[in-house]
Each structure stands twice: as structure tokens, then as C-alpha cells.
Amino acid sequence: MGVGAKPPAHVVIVGGGFAGLYAARALARADVRITLLDRRNYHEFQPLLYQVATAGLAPGEIAAPIRHVLMSCRQARVLLAQVHGIDLQRQVVRSDAGEFSYDYLLLATGARHSYFGHPEWERFAPGLKSLEDALEIRRRILMAYELAERTSDPQERQALLHFVVVGGGATGVELAGAIAEISHETLRRDFRRIDPARSRVCLVEAGDRLLRAFPRDLSLQAERALRRMGVNLILGTRVDDVTAQGVRLGGEFLPARTILWAAGVEASSLGTEIPAERDRSGRVRVAADLSVPGHPEVFLAGDIALVEGAHGEPLPGIAPVAIQEGILAAENILARARGDKARPFRYHDRGMLATIGRSQAVAKVGRLHLHGFLAWLVWLFVHILYLIGFGNRVAILWRWTLAYLTFERADRLITERQPEPR
Amino acid sequence: MGVGAKPPAHVVIVGGGFAGLYAARALARADVRITLLDRRNYHEFQPLLYQVATAGLAPGEIAAPIRHVLMSCRQARVLLAQVHGIDLQRQVVRSDAGEFSYDYLLLATGARHSYFGHPEWERFAPGLKSLEDALEIRRRILMAYELAERTSDPQERQALLHFVVVGGGATGVELAGAIAEISHETLRRDFRRIDPARSRVCLVEAGDRLLRAFPRDLSLQAERALRRMGVNLILGTRVDDVTAQGVRLGGEFLPARTILWAAGVEASSLGTEIPAERDRSGRVRVAADLSVPGHPEVFLAGDIALVEGAHGEPLPGIAPVAIQEGILAAENILARARGDKARPFRYHDRGMLATIGRSQAVAKVGRLHLHGFLAWLVWLFVHILYLIGFGNRVAILWRWTLAYLTFERADRLITERQPEPR
């Protein structure tokens, strides 16, 4: 390099989820400056959010400060900032912490849940996409038992002990299974008036089977396992209305105080800043190399991007997809910076996992279909493996061992969003 | 017992802190019905709140669901209820969960921090009395570093990296020590623009020495240890004003964005429902047997009660006092129920402890004055011992071992009280 060497390119990454974080790591040893912006100071391990929502793990056990994860990456700057706009012409990102100009931009702001045109349902049926969502769901579930214990109205008590989960994908299955476990095992002896074991957990799915992304035989195994745990499955049924009193399903009204939403997702609204085609759920269609058509310096990765698999099917919004996209986007940024050609994205499908409860899961690993205890061991192993860098693996393993042996869930605190009387 | 046997007496306990919980346990094997009311579903281990406030422990590690702690006590009912009044004539407690009539009442609702007639200071200088307080303080401390990293104004940056703790009692000493440790060790390598090690921690105390409740030599040891950790001690100085910009101390204005209050306490406002003498901080003077003069069926224990020690000095608001009072109140309730005489309270002083930082503490055990590492080991041992019943001791020990070896604080999440953009 001579005196005339170019200054290193500036890569701005928006979002510290799986895609953003793995991209930053993939850039770590290259000659670039990195600025990672996120509106939270932590990265969430989303696959375990449901464990926080059901009081099995503490928030800190599935989240890590982003700047700490990237501590050893000296050329990466991490800033707490809410990005609200992108100027593709001036190559500038606008945020509440000021403007950031970029040579390359990676947009990885993920997705939130969507209510199919009924945003008014959110108040009554929170979704599970962030740690704050998880704490709110935890508060509602625990509060329902507390209020049921203290009410003297039998109808009210019944509605309080009725939990409805909408959406039969992995999150819905995990939530329903965990709530059934809490009711039938964890809380069994905690109350005096009510019997938590008599609470009712319903899982509502519009399609004709759970876990549509999985092979049919595994869907049936999951359904069987949930039924054995006492979960009522309501398949082939659409939700017509959600109110503070319950849900209406195909003409019937189910009174229930706790309704959880795991039915639809919607890509981050920053996608609307990108002049490209978007699908129904707002995901932006990117070029094969994950860049934006007409803007080779802008890349998208994770749940905000619409990327198709080998058979033309859109790839699901799961961690392995986001991780692989993040890494390829980083590599393509480096290729462009060197003047090389960018590579197209190809998803390496290593399998799918969904856990149902203590020692129950379904897994597709290559061509292998697993269920029951063995699938659960695979699930456990994979999640412990992925928690590398969280530094909490031993603590989580310890807690899971305890929970497995005792059915105990240690984090049963009703803390957030309670007005503090002073 | 014949057909004419009296039904068991109904004991209502208000407050699930140390006093209330130990009272309930002391009543566990007796022939009484117990109703424990608390506005939270969990018991907090208050001596470790500062660890949550400084991201060293997770909320769930120092809190346990009250109904779970009392699970094996079959005749105890635990209800989530905010008590707002007491009718001593009708023997009824009024709450948002309805009225509860009692044969015996134990009021153990504790204390909150007080601002010496300046309630408007609370917004700028939160105190540390509850888990929610601790999460708010944690949020402010971590947020200060984040905002300092992203600002380009050097004066603003300085104010953001200036932490002022008001009050040199045990809580103030613990907070100041922990913040110094975070700045100088934990966060040292996390930031790029700022150097957390250059942040300034001030501990302000109106008296002429820290830890007034301790013998003078231990106060001096604590002062020496804090100075060695880089804490600025400002002794003999009163706070004149607290604003969003900083604190005014004896004519001088210290710009600081993070101000923490550990200076004064005020007994729970339920004390005003009791027709008895109260001291300046609202504590209710009880009879020697902890009952209310003129109301032998009503007892007070913990921080709400004004009880004097062997030399006429008011006993401090610490866990051992609350625990011993709670147990004696329970025993006296049983004595009264049997028609026996109640016993006067006598405090068994087993010592005092305050921790200053990693491997630094001061301890008074009987006539022994300890400081440094040995005192810290005593502190560790006592706290681990008291965490019996929390089921988290192994997890906490593990975390502390890790923290001791690595200076790491795992729970550095900015979660609560952030408006969620939707």
C-alpha cells in the first residue's frame, strides 16, 4: 500500500440480530470500518424467547450486549440508535443518533408479528418477537393465575384459566406446550383455591395441520404429543375476532383472558425505504447476491429479505437462514470492495427443529425424521451449541437440568409494565 | 378437641418481605389460617438489590415467588393485593382484591426511600428499594455509557460519564463500589470513542464518615478501599438541589446525568393507619411485644416498626432485624391465641456487613472487626447462607465465581421502561 491507498470502506449494519451480528463477525478481520446500529443494546437469541415468555429462562440468559459480543472486533463501532430512514442517493442512514454515511449498507432489521389487517388485536393478543414481548407475555400468563386465585366469580375464574395460542408454527407449538407444562406440573401445588392443572390451553391453527414447514409425519407426532400434554388443538379454523373477553372462531366465542399471537409476521417497516418488489408480508425481494437491484452497495439479510430456496419456495424466517445470509452479504461486500464478483446465495438446509415440551420435540435432520426424546436431545444440543459467545451456556445447562428433574421454572416474576405506586 | 372447638384463628400478614415471610414460616405448623397479601408476586432478597442495579445478577436470581416459598405451608393462602386501608374497629383490611377480616394482623410493609421533603428529586435520582427500582437504575447506568459513546459534545460526554451516589450508608457504598468496578474493569474494552475507565464516580455523604452504623475503624477502611477503587468521596456535604443536569452541593454544581439516591428512608404509608406515635421517618412505635398499644391483635415488624435496641437506640432497617421481628411477632400471635403472655422483643445482634467491591468488604462480627478479603468471604458466606429457599444458590455462586475471575457482569441489558415503537 502506498501513500495513495484508499481509506478502508465504511460498512453500516442496521440491526444486531443473527444476520447483522454474523455479518459483523464475518467482516471482523477485513480492512473495513464497521458501524452497527441497533435500537437495543443487546442481541436476542430469538429461538429461546418462548422460554423467557414462559418463565423458564431469565432475559439475561438469552441476550448478550452487542458491543460485548463484538468487543474483540476493534474496527467495529456499536451504537444505540433507532434508524428511521435511508437516503440511497446520498448513501446516508438517518437515525435518532444523527446521520451515518456508508460505502456499503447491510439492512437486517428483521420482522415483527402482524395481525392480518387487525392491528387493534395486538393489545389483547401480544406476539413474541422481542425480549420485551416475552416479558409482557410472562406477566400476562402469571397474572392470570394470580387473578384466578383471588376472584370469587367462577365464570371469571374459568376465563382466566383459559389460554389461547393463535398460530400452529414452531412458536405457537412451543408456547402451547410450555403453558401446558406450567399448568400441569410447575404450578400444581402453588395455589389453594384454583387447581392450575385444570386450566385449558387451546392452540388454534388456520391450516389443517401444525408445523406446516415440517414433513407431515412430524406434524402428526407433534399433534399427538401436544394432545397427550392436554392441549386442545383447533385446526382448520380461522380467528374472526379478538377482544379483551376472548376470541371468536368460526361463529363460536371462546372466553379467555390470555391470548397469545404466533400467527403472522411482517417485515420491518424500513423495507419500504428500498425501491424493490415486496411480498404480502413486506419482505423485500433482493438479487441473487442479496443486494438491492440497481444498488450494488446495499444488501439485505434475515427476515426483512425475501430469498428463494432451490425449488423457488421463499426461505423461512429462522435463525440458520439469517446467519447464512448475513455471512454471505458480508463476503459479497468484501468482494465488491475488492472489485471482485459477488456470489449468489445458496441455503444449506441442515434441518429444522421444534420443541414441544420437556423431553419432547420434532426434528428433521437431512433425511432423518426424529421425534420424542431423541429429537429433544438434538434440539438441546443444537441450542447449546448456538449459544456460543453468550457465555451463559453453563448456567442455562444447569437450569435446564434442574428444570428437567424438578419441573421448576425459576423466573416466575411479574415485573414489567406494572405502574409503580409511589 | 370436641365438637365445640373454636375454628382456627385467621392471621392476615400484609407484606412478603423478610418480616412477613419469616412470620408466615413461623406460623406454618400452628393451628391457624394464614392469608399473606403483597402487591408483588415475589419476595425480594433486598441485600442484593444493588447487584441487580449494577448488572451483576439477574432479577430472578434474587427474587422468588412468594407462593412458591410458602408452597409446603398448606394453611397459608398467598394473594396478590394492594392494601390501601385498615379498619382496626371492624378488624378488616381493605385492598384492591376486596376486604379481608382478621383475628390477628401483622403489618410488615417496609419502607421506601425519602427525599427530605423534595419528592421532585426522585425523577432525577431514583432510589433502590425494589426490583423495579433496580432495573431502572441498571437502565440509567448502562444508558449513560451508550449515550456517551454516541455524543460528539465533549461536555455532554463528561456529564454522562459522571455518576453521583447520594448517601454513604451500606447501599451507597455498595452502589459506588460496583459502578467503579463496572467502569474500570467490566466495560473497559467495550467502547471505541469513550474510555469507561475515565468515568467519575462520586459518593456524597452529609455526615463526616461513611457507614455511620459501623465502628469508626471500619468506616475508615471502607473509605480507603473506595478511594483505591477511584471513587471520589465528598463527606460532610449536604445535597442542596437535584436537577436533570446534576446536583448542587454546598454552592458548587456538579454536572452529572446519573444520580442515585441512597440517603433516606420513609416507612410505608400504611403506618399512618395505626393510631400510635411515629418518628420522623414515619416508623410506628410499637409496644415491647411488637403489638400496637391498645390493639393486642395487631403487630408490626420490619422497616415499618420503630423498635429500640438494648441501649435505647432505634434498630436499623436491615434484614436480620426484620427476620427476628417477624418471627417474634408470629410467636406472640400464637401466644395470644392460646391465652398466654406475649414476649418482649430482644435483638440478637450477630454483626453487620457491607461489601465494597470484588473481594472487598467490612464486617463486624461480635467484637471482631474485619475488612478486606476476609470480610468479603464472610459477606459471601452469609449471603449464600441466607439465600436458602431461593433455589438459586448454585447459579449465583457460579456467576460470582465467573465474575470474580473475569470481572464480567452478565446481565447488562437495557430493557425496562423503554417505549416500544410499534
Side-chain angles (χ1 to χ4, degrees):
Chain A
M1 283 201 291
V3 176
K6 276 197 302 184
H10 183 207
V11 182
V12 171
I13 300 174
V14 186
F18 282 112
L21 209 56
Y22 276 80
R25 281 184 170 184
L27 294 170
R29 259 163 270 286
D31 184 31
V32 289
R33 275 195 310 130
I34 307 166
T35 301
L36 193 152
L37 307 174
D38 199 294
R39 62 195 169 99
R40 299 276 178 270
N41 78 323
Y42 50 84
H43 166 76
E44 297 157 346
F45 192 80
Q46 285 208 15
L48 290 178
L49 273 183
Y50 84 96
Q51 282 275 358
V52 174
T54 55
L57 289 176
E61 289 173 324
I62 66 151
I66 297 171
R67 61 173 70 262
H68 191 71
V69 177
L70 296 179
M71 185 177 64
S72 58
C73 172
R74 299 300 303 176
Q75 81 275 41
R77 224 178 123 199
V78 178
L79 288 180
L80 197 71
Q82 169 96 49
V83 171
H84 44 69
I86 300 162
D87 188 331
L88 291 170
Q89 263 51 55
R90 286 175 51 224
Q91 300 200 180
V92 156
V93 162
R94 288 190 300 271
S95 83
D96 63 351
E99 290 197 341
F100 297 89
S101 64
Y102 59 80
D103 297 312
Y104 295 95
L105 173 66
L106 174 59
L107 208 57
T109 44
R112 279 200 62 78
H113 29 270
S114 89
Y115 291 82
F116 309 128
H118 288 281
E120 73 277 12
W121 293 355
E122 178 161 18
R123 272 179 60 201
F124 312 120
L128 181 60
K129 272 284 172 194
S130 72
L131 213 47
E132 267 119 2
D133 293 341
L135 291 172
E136 172 64 13
I137 289 178
R138 182 178 84 178
R139 194 184 70 74
R140 290 192 188 204
I141 293 173
L142 297 176
M143 203 64 175
Y145 292 105
E146 294 293 337
L147 296 178
E149 174 81 353
R150 81 182 209 190
T151 186
S152 48
D153 174 348
Q155 274 201 316
E156 171 76 5
R157 191 178 306 144
Q158 206 166 25
L160 282 164
L161 292 177
H162 191 178
F163 300 86
V164 177
V165 178
V166 182
T171 303
V173 164
E174 285 162 355
L175 277 174
I179 297 173
E181 233 174 64
I182 291 179
S183 313
H184 301 140
E185 305 291 346
T186 314
L187 296 179
R188 220 175 19 159
R189 302 196 301 140
D190 273 11
F191 293 85
R192 298 292 173 259
R193 264 202 202 170
I194 60 165
D195 178 3
R198 298 189 58 184
S199 53
R200 199 172 151 211
V201 183
C202 291
L203 179 57
V204 183
E205 163 60 39
D208 66 338
R209 62 176 173 113
L210 299 181
L211 300 174
R212 256 171 304 171
F214 283 72
R216 184 169 290 271
D217 60 312
L218 291 181
S219 293
L220 295 180
Q221 291 293 354
E223 290 170 15
R224 205 168 303 156
L226 282 172
R227 283 212 179 89
R228 234 181 296 131
M229 293 168 74
V231 174
N232 295 291
L233 302 182
I234 306 177
L235 300 177
T237 307
R238 227 169 250 293
V239 169
D240 299 320
D241 197 13
V242 181
T243 72
Q245 307 307 317
V247 285
R248 211 176 57 232
L249 303 165
E252 203 199 345
F253 187 79
L254 285 186
R257 286 291 172 280
T258 312
I259 305 160
L260 306 177
W261 193 261
V265 292
E266 190 173 64
S268 149
S269 61
L270 269 184
T272 59
E273 304 272 311
I274 303 295
E277 188 196 335
R278 275 173 295 134
D279 73 354
R280 271 196 319 163
S281 57
R283 290 184 295 181
V284 179
R285 188 181 292 277
V286 288
D289 63 359
L290 303 180
S291 70
V292 172
H295 285 280
E297 76 286 1
V298 179
F299 290 80
L300 270 71
D303 289 358
I304 194 177
L306 174 61
V307 180
E308 279 158 7
H311 311 293
E313 80 291 358
L315 293 174
I318 55 178
V321 172
I323 290 172
Q324 293 179 30
E325 289 177 358
I327 292 171
L328 184 81
E331 289 171 356
N332 281 345
I333 285 173
L334 293 179
R336 288 254 155 86
R338 282 192 311 264
D340 289 351
K341 249 189 83 176
R343 281 190 304 131
F345 180 73
R346 194 164 299 150
Y347 178 51
H348 298 283
D349 185 357
R350 299 214 174 78
M352 310 188 76
L353 289 164
T355 175
I356 298 156
R358 182 173 164 278
S359 77
Q360 287 286 335
V362 290
K364 180 177 158 288
V365 186
R367 289 187 184 173
L368 228 58
H369 295 187
L370 303 174
H371 66 93
F373 187 66
L374 188 60
W376 186 76
L377 283 183
V378 171
W379 177 88
L380 197 69
F381 177 75
V382 167
H383 282 82
I384 291 295
L385 205 70
Y386 265 109
L387 282 169
I388 287 179
F390 276 74
N392 304 344
R393 278 184 301 162
V394 179
I396 294 191
L397 249 186
W398 166 252
R399 236 192 228 232
W400 280 351
T401 309
L402 266 190
Y404 182 80
L405 296 174
T406 65
F407 287 103
E408 179 53 16
R409 286 175 173 257
D411 224 59
R412 298 209 303 278
L413 313 178
I414 304 177
T415 44
E416 280 62 47
R417 302 211 191 166
Q418 257 187 336
E420 175 80 352
R422 288 267 148 105
Chain B
M1 283 204 289
V3 176
K6 275 198 301 182
H10 183 209
V11 182
V12 171
I13 300 174
V14 185
F18 281 112
L21 210 56
Y22 275 80
R25 280 185 170 182
L27 294 170
R29 259 164 269 285
D31 185 29
V32 289
R33 275 194 311 131
I34 308 166
T35 301
L36 192 150
L37 307 175
D38 198 294
R39 65 196 167 98
R40 298 276 177 270
N41 79 322
Y42 51 83
H43 167 76
E44 297 157 347
F45 191 79
Q46 285 208 16
L48 290 178
L49 272 183
Y50 83 97
Q51 282 274 359
V52 173
T54 55
L57 289 176
E61 290 174 324
I62 66 150
I66 297 171
R67 61 172 70 261
H68 191 70
V69 177
L70 296 179
M71 186 176 65
S72 58
C73 172
R74 301 300 303 177
Q75 80 276 39
R77 225 178 123 197
V78 177
L79 288 179
L80 196 71
Q82 169 95 49
V83 171
H84 45 69
I86 300 161
D87 187 331
L88 292 168
Q89 263 51 55
R90 287 173 53 222
Q91 300 199 181
V92 157
V93 161
R94 286 189 303 268
S95 83
D96 62 350
E99 291 198 339
F100 298 88
S101 63
Y102 59 81
D103 298 312
Y104 296 94
L105 172 66
L106 173 60
L107 209 56
T109 45
R112 278 200 61 78
H113 30 270
S114 89
Y115 290 82
F116 309 129
H118 288 282
E120 73 277 13
W121 293 354
E122 178 161 20
R123 272 178 60 200
F124 312 117
L128 183 60
K129 271 285 171 193
S130 73
L131 213 46
E132 268 119 2
D133 294 341
L135 291 172
E136 172 63 13
I137 289 178
R138 181 178 83 179
R139 193 182 70 74
R140 290 192 188 205
I141 293 174
L142 297 175
M143 204 66 176
Y145 292 106
E146 294 292 337
L147 296 178
E149 174 80 351
R150 80 182 209 190
T151 187
S152 47
D153 174 348
Q155 274 202 317
E156 170 76 6
R157 191 179 305 142
Q158 206 167 24
L160 281 163
L161 291 178
H162 191 178
F163 300 86
V164 177
V165 179
V166 182
T171 303
V173 165
E174 285 160 355
L175 277 175
I179 297 173
E181 233 173 64
I182 290 179
S183 312
H184 301 142
E185 305 290 348
T186 314
L187 296 179
R188 220 177 16 162
R189 303 197 300 139
D190 273 11
F191 292 85
R192 297 292 174 262
R193 265 202 202 171
I194 60 165
D195 177 5
R198 299 189 57 184
S199 53
R200 199 171 151 212
V201 184
C202 292
L203 179 58
V204 183
E205 163 60 38
D208 66 339
R209 62 175 174 116
L210 300 181
L211 300 173
R212 254 171 305 171
F214 284 72
R216 184 171 289 269
D217 61 313
L218 291 181
S219 293
L220 295 181
Q221 292 293 354
E223 290 170 15
R224 204 167 304 156
L226 282 172
R227 284 213 179 89
R228 233 180 298 131
M229 293 168 73
V231 174
N232 295 291
L233 301 182
I234 306 177
L235 300 177
T237 307
R238 227 169 250 291
V239 168
D240 298 321
D241 198 13
V242 181
T243 72
Q245 308 307 317
V247 284
R248 213 179 52 236
L249 302 166
E252 202 199 346
F253 187 80
L254 285 186
R257 286 291 172 282
T258 313
I259 305 160
L260 306 178
W261 193 261
V265 292
E266 189 173 66
S268 150
S269 61
L270 269 185
T272 58
E273 304 271 312
I274 303 295
E277 188 196 336
R278 276 173 295 136
D279 73 355
R280 272 195 318 162
S281 57
R283 291 185 293 182
V284 180
R285 189 180 291 276
V286 289
D289 63 359
L290 304 180
S291 70
V292 172
H295 285 279
E297 76 286 1
V298 179
F299 291 81
L300 272 68
D303 288 358
I304 195 177
L306 174 61
V307 181
E308 279 158 7
H311 311 293
E313 80 292 357
L315 293 174
I318 56 178
V321 172
I323 290 172
Q324 293 180 28
E325 288 177 358
I327 293 171
L328 185 81
E331 289 171 357
N332 281 346
I333 285 172
L334 294 179
R336 289 252 157 85
R338 284 191 310 263
D340 290 351
K341 251 188 83 175
R343 282 192 301 131
F345 180 72
R346 194 163 301 148
Y347 178 51
H348 299 282
D349 186 356
R350 299 212 175 81
M352 307 187 81
L353 288 165
T355 175
I356 299 155
R358 180 173 166 278
S359 77
Q360 287 287 337
V362 291
K364 179 176 160 288
V365 187
R367 290 187 185 175
L368 229 56
H369 295 187
L370 302 174
H371 67 94
F373 187 66
L374 188 61
W376 185 74
L377 282 183
V378 171
W379 177 86
L380 198 70
F381 178 75
V382 167
H383 283 81
I384 291 294
L385 204 73
Y386 265 110
L387 281 168
I388 287 178
F390 276 74
N392 303 346
R393 277 184 302 160
V394 178
I396 294 189
L397 247 186
W398 166 253
R399 236 192 229 231
W400 280 351
T401 309
L402 266 191
Y404 182 79
L405 295 174
T406 66
F407 287 104
E408 179 54 15
R409 288 177 171 256
D411 226 58
R412 300 210 300 279
L413 313 179
I414 304 178
T415 45
E416 278 65 46
R417 299 209 195 167
Q418 256 185 336
E420 175 81 353
R422 287 270 147 104

